[in-house]
Amino acid sequence: MARIFGPVPSRRLGLSLGIDLVPCKTCSYNCIYCEVGRTTNLITEPSSFINIAETIKELEDVISKSPPDVITLAGSGEPTLNLDIGALISEIKKITKIPLTLLTNGSLLWKEEVRERCRGVDIILPTLSSVFKKTHDMIHRPHPGLDLDRIIQGLKETRKLFKRGYYLEVVLLKGINDSEEELSGLKKVIWDIAPDRVQLNTVVRPPAETSALPLTQERLEEIKAYFGGNTEIVAPSPIKGRGNISDSGAERIFEMVKRRPVTIDDISNALNFSRVETEQMVKGLKIKGIIQEQRHGDNLFYTSK
Ligand code: SF4
């Protein structure tokens, strides 16, 4: 199975080549805003899911043709649920100097062994969206074995391992965690964690549940000012992709839409196809019934069937 996907224009990292470490959709959370869909395998115990040698070979092949800005451990679930993540990080570091990043929900970082496995990445991007159990439960619908206080403690402990390259994501949802009380609670805890950056996010792609509503840009700006300092809003990336145009373009588009909903611009930027070429290939895949259209607000997204 192909584990490498993209490169995709990441709103937080630039042009990112992803490695999918768990089967879809294996996660310790079942977030209402998840763009991959509802969690079907809700677990907290890591397992072995991939063949490291094959993944490294696949990665070497892709980066030799079109090196991305970053390599990201992410995909269609929670990557720290992969028991072999530490070994994979070591192997990646042997073959490339491209910065390695880890997109994690942060829910398992209270476990020392999980933190140790991840310490080889250059940038870690955990999430914290509420410091109140009721709200945290509503947003993330976590595995029943998880405890919010422990999770927050884990986020603090992780900071000790990452003196640089700790970007904390806050996903803000209208009417759920955008109240004064929620933001004040978050601000205090974020101050304690002291990440290098606080990255404000909201719903920008079709979410798992329609109850997950986005904040306006104006409201995000207000919250950014309230948090102050190193806070930024992660907006759609303007970076142009350097992806290699190949005769397997349709396959690469399919690999992208399999993992998350994408727009024509996302595909065109990531794969460096012209808009017309992209529209043509997307149309072909649509006609063949391989992908489908989905409207979210003013935008049209493509997803796999
Ligand atoms: S958004 Fe991330 S943490 Fe939440 S359910 Fe989806 S994959 Fe899991």
Side-chain angles (χ1 to χ4, degrees), residues 25 27 29-31 33-37 39 75-78 105 140:
K25 170 67 213 290
C27 197
Y29 283 173
N30 181 17
C31 307
Y33 61 80
C34 186
E35 56 193 42
V36 187
T39 298
S76 37
E78 171 50 36
N105 62 25
H140 298 298

Side-chain angles (χ1 to χ4, degrees), residues 114-183:
V114 173
R115 291 199 298 275
E116 284 301 322
R117 281 179 208 132
C118 302
R119 69 182 304 164
V121 298
D122 300 292
I123 302 173
I124 190 162
L125 301 102
T127 301
L128 180 68
S129 297
S130 178
V131 296
F132 299 107
K133 180 178 173 357
K134 194 172 164 205
T135 316
H136 181 263
D137 285 356
M138 189 188 295
I139 295 174
H140 298 298
R141 300 184 295 192
H143 185 283
L146 291 171
D147 173 74
L148 179 58
D149 290 339
R150 244 182 186 176
I151 291 171
I152 291 173
Q153 193 52 37
L155 293 173
K156 291 179 186 170
E157 291 296 324
T158 304
R159 179 55 166 152
K160 295 177 189 163
L161 292 184
F162 291 86
K163 303 268 189 269
R164 287 169 47 205
Y166 190 118
Y167 302 173
L168 186 71
E169 177 190 49
V170 180
V171 181
L172 293 159
L173 304 174
K174 190 176 167 191
I176 298 182
N177 62 344
D178 59 341
S179 68
E180 217 171 283
E181 189 190 14
E182 286 285 340
L183 298 174

Side-chain angles (χ1 to χ4, degrees), residues 33-46:
Y33 61 80
C34 186
E35 56 193 42
V36 187
R38 290 181 188 152
T39 298
T40 48
N41 188 22
L42 186 69
I43 58 170
T44 54
E45 279 310 312

